[in-house]
Amino acid sequence: MTKMVIENRIRRLRFDHGEMTQQALAERIGATRQTIIAIEGGKYAPSLELAFRIADAFGVGVDEVFQRKI
Amino acid sequence: MGDFMDLEEKVSWGAFLPWILGCGYYLTALVRWNNGGSHWPLGSVLIGMLLVQVVYMIVVAAVSRKEPRDERTRLIEYKGYKVAYLAVEAVLSGWLLWLYLPQHWNEPHKKLPLLLAVWLGVEAIRMGTQLVLYRASVRA
């Protein structure tokens, strides 16, 4: 099975939400800033629960935050 | 160091560095002692390491932002334990195999029952935990 590559638009969504800082997003979803950095950089794939919390923080669906790279 | 690391990573460094320095110092002292030098007892080194760690933890906790232990932090912790467990298991297995070498058959194996008990015990805990987790809800 080939490894699935998942991209995210967190950086873009933060920009669209008044240049929300990584720290502010981390505090909203109950994670650390380093976890946000890791997710943005594609170094950590969050659980479904954390993915939903990120999506909720931006008021969008999960599919608008995370997409599978084709 | 500010926001370059989260609190858990700073705490991990604070635990790791004194540990490595203490171990290195103790091993060096042990080699010197075996060669006729003065002996630095393990107790003093352990107390020194613990003191440095406690002071560091207090300072880090005081100056760092309070952060939750999130799923990534826990995953890193589990992976660390797994690597450490595999290393311990490798050492124990090697030691057991060494004790079973034919040239040791005529020697009294005082350590063998204890080693076997530790090895069987930790393996039982690992397998038991996994069996429970197969039926429980699992999250990082």
Side-chain angles (χ1 to χ4, degrees):
Chain A
M1 190 186 291
T2 54
K3 192 182 175 197
M4 188 184 292
V5 179
I6 298 171
E7 292 178 326
N8 69 79
R9 298 179 58 241
I10 295 176
R11 176 71 194 92
R12 178 76 219 175
L13 286 163
R14 283 197 299 112
F15 180 78
D16 291 345
H17 283 74
E19 198 63 62
M20 183 193 290
T21 63
Q22 291 170 328
Q23 185 61 45
L25 176 60
E27 283 170 10
R28 271 199 196 189
I29 65 168
T32 64
R33 181 172 167 253
Q34 294 303 318
T35 295
I36 301 299
I37 292 169
I39 295 170
E40 277 191 16
K43 291 180 179 173
Y44 176 65
S47 68
L48 203 50
E49 184 185 333
L50 191 58
F52 272 112
R53 275 194 265 149
I54 294 169
D56 287 349
F58 294 122
V60 296
V62 175
D63 58 335
E64 288 183 58
V65 184
F66 298 97
Q67 292 92 31
R68 187 168 72 175
K69 190 177 180 182
I70 304 167
Chain B
M1 206 156 57
D3 284 341
F4 176 63
M5 295 180 190
D6 60 32
L7 180 60
E8 290 290 333
E9 193 174 355
K10 288 176 195 168
V11 167
S12 297
W13 274 110
F16 179 70
L17 286 180
W19 192 270
I20 290 297
L21 288 173
C23 287
Y25 186 82
Y26 182 71
L27 288 176
T28 311
L30 213 57
V31 170
R32 275 209 316 263
W33 182 53
N34 282 335
N35 293 325
S38 59
H39 178 45
W40 191 269
L42 181 60
S44 306
V45 176
L46 279 176
I47 290 168
M49 278 160 48
L50 283 175
L51 273 176
V52 171
Q53 285 178 349
V54 167
V55 170
Y56 176 85
M57 301 292 176
I58 290 170
V59 172
V60 162
V63 300
S64 299
R65 185 184 288 116
K66 302 292 171 285
E67 289 174 318
R69 293 184 75 250
D70 62 10
E71 59 179 43
R72 179 172 160 270
T73 311
R74 286 192 292 271
L75 188 64
I76 289 168
E77 189 180 344
Y78 297 153
K79 286 192 177 239
Y81 277 121
K82 185 184 174 185
V83 170
Y85 172 80
L86 290 175
V88 168
E89 195 173 65
V91 170
L92 276 177
S93 306
W95 200 346
L96 282 169
L97 284 173
W98 184 78
L99 286 174
Y100 270 113
L101 287 176
Q103 58 261 41
H104 298 123
W105 283 357
N106 294 326
E107 298 171 11
H109 289 170
K110 287 180 183 169
K111 289 173 185 163
L112 192 56
L114 179 65
L115 271 178
L116 269 175
V118 170
W119 188 66
L120 292 172
V122 293
E123 274 298 290
I125 291 169
R126 179 184 65 78
M127 288 182 280
T129 306
Q130 285 173 343
L131 285 171
V132 169
L133 290 176
Y134 277 124
R135 294 289 161 185
S137 66
V138 184
R139 57 195 303 170

